[in-house]
Amino acid sequence: MNTPPAAPEHPATSTEQPDPAEPGGPGVVRRGDPARRTAYRALAVALACGVVGASLVLLAAGKTWARGTASSAGHAMPVHASGSQMTALPGALALVGLASLVAIFAVRRIGRYTVAALLTLSGLGAAATALARRGDHGALDSAAATATSLTHATAAHTATTGWPYVSVLGGVLLLLAGLTALRYGSRWPAMSSSTRYERPSTAAARPVDPDRPEDLWKALDRGEDPTD
């Protein structure tokens, strides 16, 4: 009795799909180091806070912080005092903080912590000084004396504007930038040191021909002995 030929066996096929999370597998998405991403986010925050903070302090320094009136011959004259006239320290500290923010990338290790600490202290000093001097009317009294030509004249009906608080806000932002630099600055990139590049020689040195004066001079320029 004849039996029908057996059907050819087909190789078994696997229905399992490759795991996309398996290292090296298809469709794998490599993710960066979370700590590195956090450090770069902190870098962006520090730069933004430092630049905006210093800009606010410097802007507020040129604005009117206090107003008042000075009386002369029965007439009331308006007088005012700017932030830089009341205290020049916040503006100076803002410049120090801005310079420190840039210098962070030029130093490493302990130098970076030192500069970050200077940035922190600059922000703290700018905020504290603006807050403490916002009610000082010495500059207004000087403006009243100048306006009335009276040495002992004082300003009356004094009032403080909102610009001192803008300077305080700028100082707080500088302080935040400094604290961020102290916490994450060690992970931030640094400027590469300058190096001197020399042009590589593209051709092998040609043997010196004693009958060619230019070859003799070139050999001397290279520090070689043409008679050797």
Side-chain angles (χ1 to χ4, degrees), residues 89-189:
L89 189 57
L93 289 175
L95 293 176
V96 172
L98 196 59
S100 300
L101 185 64
V102 176
I104 285 178
F105 303 99
V107 293
R108 299 174 185 268
R109 298 183 181 87
I110 189 64
R112 179 163 293 187
Y113 286 108
T114 303
V115 174
L118 182 59
L119 172 60
T120 304
L121 293 176
S122 298
L124 180 61
T129 304
L131 195 61
R133 298 296 299 271
R134 72 188 188 282
D136 186 3
H137 296 153
L140 273 180
D141 292 340
S142 298
T146 301
T148 60
S149 300
L150 299 175
T151 306
H152 301 289
T154 58
H157 305 96
T158 60
T160 303
T161 67
W163 285 107
Y165 300 100
V166 174
S167 185
V168 172
L169 175 60
V172 171
L173 290 177
L174 281 172
L175 173 62
L176 179 59
L179 293 176
T180 305
L182 284 173
R183 174 64 178 84
Y184 299 99
S186 60
R187 305 177 188 175
W188 294 348

Side-chain angles (χ1 to χ4, degrees), residues 155-227:
H157 305 96
T158 60
T160 303
T161 67
W163 285 107
Y165 300 100
V166 174
S167 185
V168 172
L169 175 60
V172 171
L173 290 177
L174 281 172
L175 173 62
L176 179 59
L179 293 176
T180 305
L182 284 173
R183 174 64 178 84
Y184 299 99
S186 60
R187 305 177 188 175
W188 294 348
M191 296 179 183
S192 58
S193 58
S194 59
T195 56
R196 182 179 62 183
Y197 296 94
E198 296 182 356
R199 184 176 60 181
S201 177
T202 57
R206 187 175 55 181
V208 177
D209 186 356
D211 295 331
R212 296 174 58 88
E214 58 271 20
D215 285 359
L216 297 177
W217 284 111
K218 290 180 180 179
L220 291 173
D221 289 339
R222 293 194 299 267
E224 300 175 359
D225 186 1
T227 62

Side-chain angles (χ1 to χ4, degrees), residues 72-103:
S72 176
H75 298 285
M77 295 179 294
V79 292
H80 66 275
S82 65
S84 59
Q85 290 173 334
M86 295 183 70
T87 172
L89 189 57
L93 289 175
L95 293 176
V96 172
L98 196 59
S100 300
L101 185 64
V102 176

